[in-house]
């Protein structure tokens, strides 16, 4: 049996692409979902692996998820949501919900995964941030803040866990063609492509290949890094 990997939010988009590529690379993957049960079960059946449900905004559900999944050698904190609107229209509930999923969710999953990794003196954590976590986005203040927090968390954990043989890295995708872009119309998408020097939207597989690389021993001296996958968007 290969080493175990859990990718949160792997029912769709970047997470689904990541579990496919990690399975290709020999990882014993678990698909995780919150609402997209059918998609998760279909992917799990395709790969012959388990699918587990949990809302990462809920501590009890995250504890149950790790109980069911068992110890993992690789944790990819990918589950995330986005909201669009003026900061002055962002009420406290909306702010808290974004941080509860994007930031606290990663915190909870890391807390659950790390003790086993420390005992093993080995482990690998990859946090999925965003270019907006690096540069900030107008009308996405809560999202930008939630993703910036993951950048600080990556650097801190890399220092704290390095002596235990655990690598912690962060990927910062640019504009990736997933359901997260559903609110954008044709003109918006064209504008985003025009703003991307490589002239196209990213594919989920573009980010998944970076995750697969960071997960592999080919990246064995890489930790504490924030690595863009963005076609130079935002530079
Ligand atoms: P997506 O297609 O909308 O997928 C989001 C995933 O997160 C789904 O699998 C969803 O699960 C899961 N999820 C959402 N809320 C959850 C919750 N409360 N508990 C557990 N899982 C939850 O988005 P994506 O584009 O692949 O995004 C993946 C990650 O990349 C996110 O963290 C996002 O912020 C980041 N990112 C995306 C882009 C982009 O342009 N697409 C750019 C930069 C960063 P269910 O569907 O099962 O509920």
């Amino acid at each position: 049996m290969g080493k175990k990997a859990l990718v949160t939010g792997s029912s769709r988009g970047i997470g689904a692409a990541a579990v496919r590529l990690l399975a290709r690379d020999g990882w014993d993957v678990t698909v995780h979902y919150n609402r997209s049960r059918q998609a998760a079960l279909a992917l799990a059946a395709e790969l012959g692996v388990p699918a587990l449900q949990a809302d990462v905004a809920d501590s009890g559900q995250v504890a149950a998820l790790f109980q069911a999944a068992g110890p993992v050698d690789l944790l990819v904190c990918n589950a995330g949501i986005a909201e669009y609107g003026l900061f002055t229209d962002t009420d406290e509930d909306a702010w808290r919900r974004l941080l509860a999923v994007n930031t606290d969710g990663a915190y909870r999953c890391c807390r659950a995964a790390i003790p086993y990794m420390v005992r093993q003196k080995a482990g690998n954590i990859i946090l999925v941030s965003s270019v907006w976590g690096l540069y900030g986005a107008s009308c996405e203040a809560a999202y930008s803040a939630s993703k910036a927090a993951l950048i600080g968390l990556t650097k801190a954990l890399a220092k704290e866990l390095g002596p235990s043989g655990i690598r912690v890295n962060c990927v910062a995708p640019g504009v990736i063609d997933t359901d997260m872009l559903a609110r954008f119309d044709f003109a918006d998408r064209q504008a985003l492509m025009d703003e991307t020097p490589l002239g196209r939207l990213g594919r989920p597989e573009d980010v998944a290949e970076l995750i697969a690389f960071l997960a592999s021993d080919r990246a064995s001296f890489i930790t504490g890094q924030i690595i863009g996958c963005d076609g130079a968007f935002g530079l």
Side-chain angles (χ1 to χ4, degrees):
M1 194 135 72
K3 286 190 170 179
K4 287 188 71 169
L6 174 65
V7 181
T8 67
S10 42
S11 49
R12 302 183 280 120
I14 293 168
V19 290
R20 278 205 177 87
L21 296 193
L22 290 169
R24 172 201 71 185
D25 292 351
W27 287 91
D28 179 6
V29 293
T30 295
V31 174
H32 160 260
Y33 66 101
N34 185 30
R35 294 189 177 149
S36 303
R37 185 165 187 272
Q38 288 310 322
L41 294 185
L43 177 58
E46 174 194 320
L47 299 175
V49 302
L52 297 172
Q53 189 275 336
D55 180 348
V56 297
D58 183 303
S59 305
Q61 292 189 34
V62 171
L65 168 67
F66 278 83
Q67 185 88 33
V72 297
D73 304 286
L74 167 66
L75 170 66
V76 182
C77 293
N78 166 77
I81 54 173
E83 290 291 337
Y84 193 79
L86 287 173
F87 179 67
T88 43
D89 291 338
T90 304
D91 66 21
E92 204 164 321
D93 285 347
W95 173 269
R96 294 223 172 280
R97 176 71 190 158
L98 243 132
L99 269 79
V101 176
N102 293 358
T103 311
D104 302 355
Y107 155 80
R108 292 186 185 100
C109 292
C110 289
R111 283 281 311 269
I114 286 168
Y116 168 78
M117 295 180 178
V118 169
R119 283 198 301 279
Q120 295 298 110
K121 286 258 172 208
N124 201 328
I125 297 172
I126 299 168
L127 304 181
V128 180
S129 177
S130 164
V131 284
W132 295 147
L134 286 163
Y135 309 131
S138 173
C139 294
E140 294 196 66
Y143 181 79
S144 301
S146 74
K147 292 296 183 178
L150 298 183
I151 290 171
L153 181 64
T154 299
K155 293 179 181 175
L157 285 183
K159 290 179 179 171
E160 189 167 323
L161 300 175
S164 297
I166 301 165
R167 295 192 292 113
V168 186
N169 287 293
C170 177
V171 302
V175 188
I176 312 298
D177 195 2
T178 70
D179 296 343
M180 203 167 261
L181 300 195
R183 68 174 181 273
F184 296 123
D185 63 16
F186 181 81
D188 293 332
R189 289 167 63 93
Q190 191 57 51
L192 290 165
M193 281 188 250
D194 292 344
E195 275 183 69
T196 303
L198 282 183
R200 67 169 174 86
L201 302 180
R203 294 178 286 258
E205 293 73 21
D206 294 323
V207 184
E209 285 289 7
L210 174 58
I211 290 170
F213 169 69
L214 289 171
S216 76
D217 289 342
R218 286 171 289 147
S220 65
F221 202 52
I222 300 176
T223 192
Q225 302 305 305
I226 316 305
I227 304 179
C229 183
D230 57 15
F233 181 88
L235 280 186

